[in-house]
Amino acid sequence: MRLLIVEDEKKTAQYLNKGLSEHGFIVDIAHNGEDGFHLAQTGNYALIILDIMLPDRDGWSIIRELRRSGKITPIIFLTARDSVDDRVKGLELGADDYLVKPFAFSELLARIRTILRRGPDRQPETIRIADMEIDFLRHKATRRGKRLDLSPKEFLILWLLARHAGEVLTRTFISEQVWDINFDSDTNVVDVAILRLRKKVDDSFSTKLIHTIRGVGYVLEDRSEHSES
Ligand code: CA
């Protein structure tokens, strides 16, 4: 998962970069508003951490322009300002959260995770991974143009995995998201459903997309491009 940090204070940026990298994120950094805006506009980030007071262009202007152009990447404002007005303004402009410096890294991490897992309100309509295309609105998934015959539940699991492509999802997380009830320990249901889903998604193709991470859960990714992993 790739994150963008837009922060002119180099020490803070490095501190965030180090912490987030240690937690498995891939991090890009911009030290001024123009670079930050350009990366945010053109890159494909899971989330942006955005300072407000920046050289060239402030965080307000960046988020305003991004949202105006239809870019819905989640944004956490990170700032020394702490007035209620600023907080409200940030949220009104379309920020997803707001964190006032100084902050605990663990709190930022928790908020990032919450936003990334928040679910389907800002999802894209189609996702492409390798030769697979998933169209959420039409509930249709294809590989090499050939339609996969999925049940509604299987489709939802595939969509969930695809939205979090490259990220290991635990059985508990999958069951909470797809079945919408809290399983106690019976995550067998998930294994059975994934087994069936895999048959339909992967059996007839040489590039396997759904992978088991033993003892943890499942991940959807195209490993043919990532021979190092
Ligand atoms: Ca600043």
Side-chain angles (χ1 to χ4, degrees):
M1 281 219 158
R2 187 175 289 271
L3 308 184
L4 174 64
I5 298 171
V6 188
E7 165 65 83
D8 58 318
E9 210 179 298
K10 294 217 162 81
K11 260 173 98 173
T12 307
Q14 282 314 320
Y15 166 73
L16 292 175
N17 183 13
K18 187 168 178 288
L20 292 169
S21 302
E22 280 169 6
H23 285 85
F25 294 101
I26 299 159
V27 179
D28 289 343
I29 299 175
H31 291 298
N32 64 64
E34 275 307 333
D35 290 351
F37 174 71
H38 179 72
L39 284 172
Q41 184 75 288
T42 55
N44 192 17
Y45 295 101
L47 184 139
I48 299 167
I49 298 165
L50 182 61
D51 189 21
I52 291 182
M53 302 308 282
L54 290 161
D56 298 345
R57 178 169 199 165
D58 67 18
W60 303 130
S61 148
I62 292 174
I63 191 170
R64 197 179 283 121
E65 183 106 5
L66 286 175
R67 294 300 187 242
R68 195 179 285 153
S69 67
K71 195 87 177 168
I72 55 167
T73 314
I75 292 175
I76 297 179
F77 267 128
L78 205 61
T79 177
R81 295 168 164 238
D82 63 350
S83 81
V84 174
D85 282 353
D86 279 348
R87 191 179 290 243
V88 169
K89 183 177 174 186
L91 298 175
E92 277 178 357
L93 284 173
D96 296 80
D97 208 340
Y98 195 112
L99 210 54
V100 175
K101 298 174 190 172
F103 56 90
F105 180 78
S106 56
E107 186 178 2
L108 174 66
L109 189 64
R111 292 192 187 202
I112 289 173
R113 288 181 167 154
T114 301
I115 289 173
L116 294 180
R117 301 218 149 167
R118 193 175 280 162
D121 50 339
R122 45 170 77 248
Q123 59 195 0
E125 289 169 14
T126 39
I127 296 178
R128 283 181 198 83
I129 293 161
D131 56 9
M132 180 166 68
E133 186 173 319
I134 313 172
D135 181 336
F136 186 76
L137 293 179
R138 291 154 72 201
H139 261 238
K140 185 181 157 191
T142 58
R143 282 197 73 174
R144 283 194 220 142
K146 190 169 164 254
R147 185 166 191 153
L148 306 173
D149 181 25
L150 306 176
S151 73
K153 195 122 283 182
E154 288 162 355
F155 181 85
L156 278 181
I157 298 170
L158 182 63
W159 180 254
L160 184 69
L161 286 166
R163 283 199 66 221
H164 294 269
E167 191 189 340
V168 181
L169 302 186
T170 64
R171 291 171 178 80
T172 310
F173 179 69
I174 296 171
S175 69
E176 283 168 359
Q177 298 290 315
V178 176
W179 278 268
D180 205 24
I181 50 170
N182 290 311
F183 282 78
D184 292 320
S185 55
D186 189 17
T187 45
N188 247 339
V189 183
V190 176
D191 292 330
V192 171
I194 297 253
L195 192 71
R196 251 188 268 126
L197 176 63
R198 268 175 121 154
K199 281 201 170 117
K200 296 177 178 180
V201 171
D202 280 339
D203 269 12
S204 336
F205 301 91
S206 57
T207 305
K208 309 299 179 196
L209 296 177
I210 300 172
H211 308 276
T212 306
I213 309 298
R214 274 181 76 176
V216 187
Y218 298 95
V219 61
L220 188 150
E221 64 187 351
D222 179 7
R223 291 188 172 171
S224 61
E225 287 179 352
H226 311 284
S227 47
E228 76 277 5
S229 63

